[in-house]
Amino acid sequence: ALFSIAFWLQQVVIGWTAYQITKSPLLTSIILGLDVLPILIGAPFGGLITDKFNKKRLLGLIYIYQSLLIASFGIVALIGSIETWTIFVFVLLMGLGWAIHDPARFSLMSSVVPKEGLINAIALNSMAFSMMQIFVPALGGLLIILIGIGPMLLTESVFLISAALVTQFVNIPKSNEQKELSLKKALPEIKSGFNFVSTNPVIVGFILTTCAMVLLAMAFTNGLMPVYAADIFRVGPVGLGILLSARGAGSFLSTILLASFGNINKPGIIGFWILISLSLSMLAMSINNIFLLGLIIIMVISGSTMGYLNISMATVQSLTPNSLRGRVTGIFTMSFGMISAGGLLSGILASLFGVQTATFIAGTLLLLFAFIGIMIFKKMRSYNTKTH
């Protein structure tokens, strides 16, 4: 919860500040996707590090690093020196931590939760993350007006320090912690993770469909929200916070629904239906100019996105042996790096054709991918947890 509060405060601050300074949908989308670029490149190495060292200590160090970085950026904001290049540098440096954070966080959860409870555990974790998204972004938009960007960033820094302390109370079985990391063996060990993934068509299917979902849905809806708030709905920073809070409400309701189902027997089929729902919601968003209706559509988009991610991650984790969990998780989280490419694509399309046309194009492409994927990824479609 502490990490979630800090994360959503940052999303509001960076998104609004970037668009106000640059006045460019392209630059805003790139900035909001830049922090995941290191994941695209470094997640397999982060996964290997996760397999070799104490996961909760890694998380603590990452939170401390990011806290110091945010505090520094907050000081820059207080003295009025924020420029476009400073936002780029800050976001990129923050992203360096995600390459280790995401594999460590997901594999830590999988290390302490039984295989049959993974979907529920990941859904409950997402529920806590989404619950904070309901309240924090709206509050963040208000705080931008009341106290300014600098104090908000310093507050975020305090939350991350607190998260670093709390993670140290998590109990991890000693058998899950390996202490030896050889640089000479690093590449072969990372390769072993890729070899395992390549021999499992179900995992390959989920990773590729996740890449498509992140590229065409997450990148567009995340990166273009400040543009929707400023130019389509004209609701200012408070409205942007409310839009992000609606995303949180959708994710929260989705995770409650998913957790209530327990184990899903055919996650591949459910995943494809969710992708279809997501793409249709994006098409609806592309023709809507009413703020209140936009909040409902955003809830559906966010709920579909979170539901798919939970099912995808839980299925990949359940098919992965503990000795390779960090590396495979790192490979899976590389898909989040597609937000950077999607941010560039969404920014270019929005600059050329407008934000709603860009959303329409992405929704159409995702819908086509979903129907093609059902035919191509046969193992993913037919996978049944009862028979494995």
Side-chain angles (χ1 to χ4, degrees):
L2 294 170
F3 160 73
S4 301
I5 293 173
F7 178 84
W8 291 119
L9 282 176
Q10 180 182 317
Q11 290 298 296
V12 177
V13 171
I14 297 302
W16 185 255
T17 303
Y19 192 61
Q20 290 304 299
I21 289 178
T22 66
K23 300 298 181 182
S24 167
L26 174 58
L27 291 177
T28 301
S29 295
I30 291 175
I31 287 171
L32 288 175
L34 187 62
D35 62 340
V36 294
L37 181 60
I39 295 178
L40 183 61
I41 301 171
F45 295 94
L48 177 61
I49 293 172
T50 297
D51 278 336
K52 298 300 180 180
F53 292 103
N54 187 292
K55 298 173 180 61
K56 66 181 182 181
R57 290 179 184 173
L58 282 175
L59 280 177
L61 290 173
I62 292 300
Y63 290 146
I64 291 172
Y65 160 76
Q66 291 185 327
S67 175
L68 294 174
L69 190 60
I70 290 167
S72 300
F73 192 61
I75 294 173
V76 172
L78 286 173
I79 63 178
S81 298
I82 291 184
E83 299 179 16
T84 302
W85 73 268
T86 59
I87 300 177
F88 269 92
V89 171
F90 167 71
V91 172
L92 184 59
L93 291 176
M94 283 291 291
L96 294 177
W98 299 133
I100 297 177
H101 173 274
D102 287 354
R105 185 164 67 94
F106 285 116
S107 60
L108 172 62
M109 188 187 311
S110 301
S111 297
V112 297
V113 176
K115 177 181 177 180
E116 61 273 12
L118 269 178
I119 288 183
N120 292 73
I122 291 177
L124 289 172
N125 177 73
S126 299
M127 188 185 301
F129 190 70
S130 301
M131 187 182 299
M132 291 300 102
Q133 189 182 3
I134 296 175
F135 305 105
V136 175
L139 177 61
L142 181 61
L143 289 176
I144 289 177
I145 297 174
L146 295 178
I147 65 175
I149 295 171
M152 279 189 62
L153 289 168
L154 294 177
T155 301
E156 180 186 346
S157 176
V158 173
F159 278 112
L160 278 178
I161 287 291
S162 301
L165 295 174
V166 170
T167 55
Q168 304 313 301
F169 291 97
V170 178
N171 291 320
I172 305 176
K174 292 183 178 180
S175 59
N176 288 331
E177 299 302 333
Q178 303 175 29
K179 300 294 184 179
E180 298 179 0
L181 177 61
S182 170
L183 293 178
K184 292 182 178 180
K185 296 181 179 180
L187 290 179
E189 289 188 317
I190 291 174
K191 184 180 178 181
S192 68
F194 279 99
N195 288 339
F196 173 79
V197 168
S198 66
T199 59
N200 193 313
V202 178
I203 293 180
V204 171
F206 271 108
I207 289 177
L208 292 179
T209 51
T210 300
C211 284
M213 191 274 293
V214 171
L215 175 69
L216 296 172
M218 286 184 67
F220 276 72
T221 54
N222 293 359
L224 297 178
M225 274 303 101
V227 186
Y228 269 101
D231 293 347
I232 302 299
F233 301 133
R234 301 185 184 279
V235 289
V238 174
L240 173 60
I242 294 173
L243 282 168
L244 295 180
S245 292
R247 276 174 45 188
S251 298
F252 180 74
L253 293 174
S254 172
T255 51
I256 289 178
L257 182 63
L258 186 60
S260 67
F261 283 138
N263 189 41
I264 294 177
N265 294 330
K266 293 187 175 182
I269 288 292
I270 298 298
F272 281 121
W273 277 112
I274 291 175
L275 288 181
I276 292 171
S277 170
L278 175 57
S279 59
L280 292 176
S281 301
M282 292 177 66
L283 294 179
M285 189 68 175
S286 71
I287 59 174
N288 172 60
N289 295 312
I290 302 172
F291 179 62
L292 292 178
L293 181 57
L295 295 179
I296 297 174
I297 297 173
I298 284 295
M299 287 178 63
V300 177
I301 290 174
S302 179
S304 300
T305 301
M306 186 59 71
Y308 178 82
L309 285 177
N310 286 335
I311 290 174
S312 182
M313 173 60 78
T315 304
V316 171
Q317 291 285 323
S318 67
L319 291 170
T320 304
N322 190 62
S323 60
L324 292 171
R325 198 176 300 283
R327 274 160 282 184
V328 174
T329 304
I331 295 168
F332 179 87
T333 54
M334 286 177 68
S335 59
F336 297 147
M338 297 302 293
I339 291 179
S340 298
L344 178 61
L345 177 62
S346 65
I348 292 174
L349 291 177
S351 297
L352 292 176
F353 308 113
V355 63
Q356 290 180 303
T357 301
T359 305
F360 178 84
I361 293 172
T364 301
L365 291 175
L366 184 60
L367 184 62
L368 290 173
F369 177 87
F371 284 119
I372 294 173
I374 291 175
M375 295 182 288
I376 293 178
F377 303 119
K378 296 180 180 179
K379 292 289 185 179
M380 174 184 169
R381 184 187 65 202
S382 61
Y383 175 68
N384 192 322
T385 58
K386 283 188 175 182
T387 59
H388 291 79

